[in-house]
Amino acid sequence: MIGAAVTDGAHDVMLFSDAAKAVRFDENDVRPMGRAARGVRGMSLDEGQSVIAMLVAETETQSVLTATENGFGKRTPISEYTRHGRGTKGMIAIQTSERNGKVVAAVLVKPDDEIMLITTGGVLVRTRVSEVREMGRATQGVTLIAVDDGSKLSGLQRVVESDTEPLGESDTEPLGESDTRPLGESDVEPLGEPGTGPQAADDDPSALA
């Protein structure tokens, strides 16, 4: 399994293969089934191909950012991915070539988003989506990350910023006078006369039997 998403019956589903093909269809084309069901065909694949991403299209203002194993990619308006029937081979998402290699990732993004890319060699790069030029589907894309010899791009994720804000001065209350009071005589128990009490008995050799 490569993906799961919660939907409301009013969106389109998009599937992408490592052969740079994509299919988009109405989610209602997939009938509700039980957990143990095998499901229906979402995309037709040739031998050796596999689905690498599943996206749920929310609005037509988003873009699809695709990336290949050799570090190339591009951003394409989601409107260029037209609806087709479920179970087809799909349309071209990015031009495949010896330069590009196989497609390894596809994510929905907006211009003000940021993405993280990581290679099999452990190199991690964070960049702004706006720096990736928007192009049509049938193009090869631009360099997203420079990969070393023997390394491949292994993954791409949209960065989700935390909604929490750092604790500011307005979030703390100063300690007032009402929260403190001097230590009074009633808070201290006076010590007994020297040589009295249980401790004195322990220290006095004559008290031992």
Side-chain angles (χ1 to χ4, degrees), residues 38-57:
R38 296 181 63 182
V40 296
R41 185 182 297 278
M43 185 177 194
S44 179
L45 301 170
D46 292 334
E47 186 176 354
Q49 297 177 357
S50 60
V51 174
I52 53 94
M54 183 198 75
L55 309 177
V56 176

Side-chain angles (χ1 to χ4, degrees), residues 24-132:
R24 177 178 179 176
F25 55 89
D26 190 322
E27 65 173 286
N28 291 300
D29 290 347
V30 180
R31 65 181 184 276
M33 302 179 186
R35 289 185 299 103
R38 296 181 63 182
V40 296
R41 185 182 297 278
M43 185 177 194
S44 179
L45 301 170
D46 292 334
E47 186 176 354
Q49 297 177 357
S50 60
V51 174
I52 53 94
M54 183 198 75
L55 309 177
V56 176
E58 297 177 355
T59 68
E60 294 298 307
T61 61
Q62 294 175 297
S63 298
V64 178
L65 198 153
T66 50
T68 67
E69 62 183 357
N70 290 337
F72 297 92
K74 64 184 176 66
R75 189 162 50 103
T76 303
I78 196 172
S79 58
E80 289 203 17
Y81 293 88
T82 54
R83 277 186 183 180
H84 288 76
R86 174 183 58 79
T88 62
K89 288 188 176 183
M91 67 199 93
I92 295 175
I94 185 172
Q95 282 286 356
T96 54
S97 62
E98 185 177 351
R99 186 200 78 159
N100 282 0
K102 293 183 177 180
V103 177
V104 295
V107 294
L108 288 171
V109 294
K110 295 179 180 179
D112 56 349
D113 287 337
E114 293 187 353
I115 55 171
M116 296 278 283
L117 304 105
I118 187 168
T119 70
T120 55
V123 178
L124 188 68
V125 171
R126 178 170 177 168
T127 186
R128 289 184 289 271
V129 168
S130 58
E131 295 179 358
V132 181

Side-chain angles (χ1 to χ4, degrees), residues 159-206:
V159 177
V160 179
E161 296 291 351
S162 173
D163 292 332
T164 59
E165 297 181 357
L167 191 64
E169 293 182 1
S170 60
D171 299 314
T172 59
E173 295 181 2
L175 192 63
E177 294 182 2
S178 60
D179 299 312
T180 60
R181 63 184 179 87
L183 192 65
E185 295 182 0
S186 59
D187 298 312
V188 182
E189 294 183 2
L191 296 174
E193 293 295 328
T196 63
Q199 183 64 36
D202 292 340
D203 296 338
D204 187 0
S206 63

